Amino acid sequence: MSKPFSLAIDAMGGDNAPDIVLDGLELAAERHPQARFLLVGDEARIGAMLARRPRAAKVCMIRHAPDVISSEMKPTAALRQGRQSSMRIAIDSVAAGESAGVVSAGNTGALMALAKIVVKTLPEIDRPALAAIMPSARGDVVMLDLGANVQCDARNLVEFAVMGDTFARAVLGLTAPSFGLLNVGSEELKGDERVRAAADVLKDSHIGANFHGFVEGHDITAGTVDVVVTDGFTGNVALKTGEGALKLMRDLLRQVFTSSIPARMGYLLARPALDRLREWMDPRRYNGAILLGLNGVVVKSHGGTDALGFAHAVDVAMDMVTHHFNDRIREGLSRLSAPVPAEKLAPVRP
Amino acid sequence: MSKPFSLAIDAMGGDNAPDIVLDGLELAAERHPQARFLLVGDEARIGAMLARRPRAAKVCMIRHAPDVISSEMKPTAALRQGRQSSMRIAIDSVAAGESAGVVSAGNTGALMALAKIVVKTLPEIDRPALAAIMPSARGDVVMLDLGANVQCDARNLVEFAVMGDTFARAVLGLTAPSFGLLNVGSEELKGDERVRAAADVLKDSHIGANFHGFVEGHDITAGTVDVVVTDGFTGNVALKTGEGALKLMRDLLRQVFTSSIPARMGYLLARPALDRLREWMDPRRYNGAILLGLNGVVVKSHGGTDALGFAHAVDVAMDMVTHHFNDRIREGLSRLSAPVPAEKLAPVRP
């Protein structure tokens, strides 16, 4: 292989694949004309579609994959039976060093399992973490882990903080992102052993100056810090609870604005401003969950997204590739491990 | 003591005590004319105030307390130094069996510590839990634990479920409340040992028919179940994350409706419907965090609430007293412990 691909793209993953994937790449190609994508999927089908998308056609090379991993397939089955699937062949390309990363809108569990096993965890990292960007009152916020690890120890939390810091620099473009550990209170004595041990290590680390300390649930949407660090159980619940609360509010507002004729008129008058709000909170702008800590960039697009959302997921992956994300993580971790006493990094389990 | 008091009321706890406490009791007395309240605080001050509130005066008896536990005082300090405080004397009255419960808008940590140590945990219970009622798309939902225990095992989760079930019957008036265990996914294999072990026990319990299984963060506001059971770390974070998301949305809507003259006019037109929404979500309607599992009813009102909010906290406590809440919990736990093998209830720690 002469020049590696920027990203391998699973053309067949997601509810509306391959259409939205191809349309998304047509948008992404405009933003990243220098990129090269390895488009993996049913060659006959995507070849014809690619021919009708001139910008994407310029930056994509097709590789045939006869199979698709369905959204219902268990990760274990995907591992055993999915060797000829578009997702697997795209991931294989990352593992082989041929592509710097992969983007898929397919089965989340399968992607995470395949990525962990095939692409493998960075040697410096105990466990990878799932991260995402979300809106807050003070700009975009990164949160991790969102569910890759339901059980985490102090060491994992410290590593998540370093990865989150690196991610916020690469993708949000921040020079000194602030970060906090999610806890039940902001006072130093709050929480369990695990978060307190992680806080002790982080305070004295090379990113200690940006460590805000403990943050609480409401700090996520308040934007108190740029990076919110937590275990995968808490992070997954917090993410879905916040999304659920916003959905409840949206549904109730829809009822409000259709409840009477004056309310409908009120909606029409306020509509430009409401549309700006909707645009600002558009989930497509925040599409892309990122598996951090592997030997390559792995981004999961929401399965139900559209072309715009898929293009955003590609943007996130391209930001990471362009900023040599994994080299930065390695640097951060090497700076971390030096001055921290081993016993502080040792797993502390409740 | 001849006839016990329904509730002991900490007259001095909260940001605007004793004023809002007295005003709240004036409202509560109208709803509960048969109740008898032991009003604990600075006799000279609250005596004069009570005289100006005729309905409250009829149902309250004053007991003098020279001290107040400040909002900054640590629980340990409150225990040592707070013996003559309004909160402590109110709690002592519950411990002595003179009052069936206590309501305070004072220092949360102090109230929880004093209640646990002075009122004591029910012998059938390993650990008490903090519960609250919150709005959802399908009616009120009970969630617990909200932070009384940052570390919980399977046994604790099972006990929380029984207490939450009893609470939903007593306070929400449901005859067969559905309940779910908060987890990172709804499939049976999701989550850690702890939640899976608790689910196994609950499936076969006397309330097993109402067990929905695992629920996720978004199920809280969707109202998928009437009772959401989780550990205190996750519950605390989820509660505050949900509140934070709703606050973000409210703040953004305020900006929308003041962003232009048409938007302002739109607001005025939609205002009656928006006001109904605001009323429905009014945090005062959901005021009152309840410490379940003690030898008495213990309700914490929000420190910054007004008279209406305080009256709601009194309502919740009165519902529990009237429905002999603790007798019901004991019944539930005795039915639980019989058919469940001991090894399933044994603490499972990650």
Side-chain angles (χ1 to χ4, degrees), chain A residues 44 48 65 95 124 308 350:
Chain A
E124 296 86 350
L308 195 60

Side-chain angles (χ1 to χ4, degrees), chain A residues 30-47:
Chain A
E30 198 174 351
R31 297 184 207 158
H32 310 280
Q34 312 301 325
R36 284 183 71 225
F37 301 126
L38 180 68
L39 190 59
V40 187
D42 179 343
E43 189 160 18
R45 229 174 130 194
I46 59 178

